[in-house]
Amino acid sequence: DTGVSQNPRHKITKRGQNVTFRCDPISEHNRLYWYRQTLGQGPEFLTYFQNEAQLEKSRLLSDRFSAERPKGSFSTLEIQRTEQGDSAMYLCASSLGGVNEQFFGPGTRLTVL
Amino acid sequence: QKEVEQNSGPLSVPEGAIASLNCTYSDRGSQSFFWYRQYSGKSPELIMSIYSNGDKEDGRFTAQLNKASQYVSLLIRDSQPSDSATYLCAHWGETSGSRLTFGEGTQLTVNP
């Protein structure tokens, strides 16, 4: 399978814990995006990488959220001190260069108790 | 005004009918438009992209773009029960960086 992959697929955690998600983009894609989606809403942009450089972050992204893409391949998204409001589907997408067709992975569903 | 607005659902059509999904956007600098299909509990799947005014057809799907009216639509011909899903409209433009901005989606149900 050469699509975008994400792990874990589901994560249940207690409020205050830290969680980390991983995304592996389509191999030749140099752009990687993180979105968050809650029930009944469209995906909401969080951050974007071109190769290893994080070029854009949403103003809505609190300081508890951090993302990395150290070698320009896979990316991780960490949420520190999780809150119940962080419960959502976290989606990763990738695209090739200037072509803006973004392809999504299966997502990681986070539940914060 | 929301950046992307989609016709409120849910939309219900009989099998074999044409389903029409509509989307308006506020950013006149928008250049690229996308339709994603999302089944319940799954991630969005890209089904159509359109960049210039006019129609673009792909199988049973036709996307229509009118930049002057800031309007994009998706027609699904010969609707099938397997088309039942939420359809998300998204756009990309110079003012939005590299992000896609999504509408809230329209839930479509195709009844056998």
Side-chain angles (χ1 to χ4, degrees):
Chain A
D1 186 354
T2 57
V4 179
S5 62
Q6 292 186 247
N7 288 289
R9 297 289 302 276
H10 302 273
K11 179 69 176 179
I12 299 174
T13 191
K14 293 183 179 179
R15 186 164 50 105
Q17 298 295 305
N18 299 343
V19 294
T20 300
F21 310 141
R22 175 178 170 128
C23 171
D24 288 86
I26 295 171
S27 59
E28 63 269 26
H29 285 185
N30 62 340
R31 294 186 176 188
L32 187 148
Y33 312 81
W34 286 98
Y35 292 84
R36 176 173 63 189
Q37 186 178 27
T38 53
L39 195 62
Q41 302 296 313
E44 176 186 47
F45 172 80
L46 293 178
T47 190
Y48 144 64
F49 291 85
Q50 180 163 302
N51 300 314
E52 66 275 10
Q54 187 174 20
L55 297 185
E56 191 175 351
K57 290 173 62 174
S58 168
R59 290 190 300 268
L60 302 176
L61 202 64
S62 82
D63 292 342
R64 297 184 297 106
F65 288 71
S66 62
E68 294 183 339
R69 195 183 182 197
K71 297 182 179 179
S73 56
F74 73 92
S75 175
T76 58
L77 176 68
E78 181 182 18
I79 309 174
Q80 295 182 328
R81 305 181 303 281
T82 52
E83 302 173 355
Q84 288 185 324
D86 297 330
S87 295
M89 174 80 88
Y90 289 83
L91 295 162
C92 176
S94 69
S95 70
L96 178 62
V99 177
N100 287 290
E101 291 188 338
Q102 297 182 18
F103 298 91
F104 284 86
T108 295
R109 183 168 297 282
L110 173 66
T111 302
V112 181
L113 301 177
Chain B
Q1 181 185 8
K2 293 181 181 178
E3 286 192 57
V4 180
E5 295 206 44
Q6 297 189 235
N7 51 329
S8 59
L11 177 65
S12 181
V13 300
E15 184 174 356
I18 296 175
S20 177
L21 304 161
N22 304 314
C23 175
T24 58
Y25 58 93
S26 60
D27 182 2
R28 287 195 173 273
S30 295
Q31 299 178 0
S32 309
F33 302 85
F34 307 92
W35 284 99
Y36 285 83
R37 177 176 62 199
Q38 187 171 28
Y39 293 112
S40 180
K42 302 297 185 182
S43 63
E45 174 192 7
L46 179 65
I47 56 171
M48 287 288 282
S49 55
I50 186 166
Y51 305 102
S52 55
N53 283 328
D55 295 358
K56 179 182 178 182
E57 187 174 319
D58 184 0
R60 297 186 295 111
F61 299 98
T62 299
Q64 300 173 318
L65 175 60
N66 183 325
K67 290 187 178 181
S69 300
Q70 297 175 247
Y71 175 90
V72 59
S73 66
L74 179 71
L75 300 178
I76 306 174
R77 292 182 300 280
D78 188 24
S79 296
Q80 301 296 310
S82 59
D83 295 325
S84 298
T86 295
Y87 290 80
L88 296 161
C89 171
H91 77 94
W92 174 86
E94 290 181 350
T95 60
S96 60
S98 290
R99 67 183 66 186
L100 289 179
T101 302
F102 286 84
E104 293 183 348
T106 300
Q107 184 177 344
L108 171 67
T109 300
V110 181
N111 299 304

